[in-house]
Amino acid sequence: MKFTAKKFATAVALSVLASSPFLASAASNGYKMVLIEDTPGVTTIQAGQLQQGISEVTNYRGAEADSFSLQMSLCVAYSRLGQLDQAQTACSKAVSLAQSSPTLPTDAKREMRALAYSNRGVMHVLANDRVAALEDFKRAVSLNTNDINQHNLARLTADINGTEINQIAYNSAE
């Protein structure tokens, strides 16, 4: 089965990953990554069995999952393992695949690209490249202003400015 608008609208669920030994520092800083539900390896990756999850994704030969969802899984798993070269490759492939999917409506492509940019932004944070992370988070928010994209951008902005997110909200309310 190919990635279709209907599948995207009905079967895609965002799985926020915030608790794992590897992401303990990133999770304590509040960054969030996204996986696509019902993709090979996702349950295993969520359970923290990252190498096994990567193996499930890379060895998958079925037609039920699309390349975009598989690359998103690899992006998250490699990021969580600290294998940032492989994470960079997978995250960038996910961005590229989201842009080039001919069968999806424009809105679905925009949302997919936004999620891929957001994941790649978290990978850049883990690689201590705040400039690249900020660029990706801004792109994500410009494409889709969902809660995860906005949260990651606000978290990085607060981190750069040395303030807490609650303080930023308080200051902007004044």
Side-chain angles (χ1 to χ4, degrees):
M1 177 190 307
K2 294 192 177 189
F3 203 76
T4 64
K6 182 176 181 183
K7 180 180 177 189
F8 186 74
T10 59
V12 172
L14 305 178
S15 300
V16 179
L17 299 175
S19 60
S20 78
F22 177 75
L23 281 183
S25 64
S28 68
N29 288 338
Y31 293 100
K32 299 175 182 179
M33 294 187 87
V34 175
L35 288 167
I36 308 301
E37 192 174 63
D38 298 328
T39 300
V42 166
T43 304
T44 308
I45 292 167
Q46 286 178 310
Q49 299 167 338
L50 304 174
Q51 288 292 1
Q52 182 180 339
I54 289 169
S55 180
E56 288 175 23
V57 172
T58 56
N59 292 324
Y60 180 74
R61 300 292 177 249
E64 292 299 313
D66 60 284
S67 295
F68 169 77
S69 298
L70 295 170
Q71 291 302 316
M72 289 286 281
S73 295
L74 291 174
C75 172
V76 172
Y78 284 130
S79 294
R80 291 176 67 187
L81 282 171
Q83 297 176 1
L84 300 178
D85 288 339
Q86 294 95 326
Q88 170 68 36
T89 299
C91 295
S92 293
K93 281 183 183 176
V95 169
S96 178
L97 288 166
Q99 292 172 320
S100 63
S101 182
T103 60
L104 291 176
T106 303
D107 289 347
K109 285 185 203 181
R110 288 175 62 90
E111 186 170 357
M112 289 168 57
R113 278 190 7 235
L115 297 173
Y117 277 125
S118 188
N119 274 6
R120 192 171 73 179
V122 174
M123 184 274 309
H124 286 307
V125 168
L126 294 172
N128 295 314
D129 188 349
R130 291 181 176 179
V131 172
L134 183 61
E135 184 176 315
D136 277 350
F137 290 152
K138 284 182 176 180
R139 283 182 183 166
V141 168
S142 74
L143 290 166
N144 187 299
T145 57
N146 69 41
D147 291 341
I148 290 172
N149 296 341
Q150 289 178 332
H151 173 83
N152 284 340
L153 178 58
R155 179 68 253 153
L156 180 60
T157 302
D159 193 30
I160 290 170
N161 292 330
T163 58
E164 293 296 321
I165 290 180
N166 294 343
Q167 184 64 38
I168 291 172
Y170 177 78
N171 290 343
S172 65
E174 290 182 325

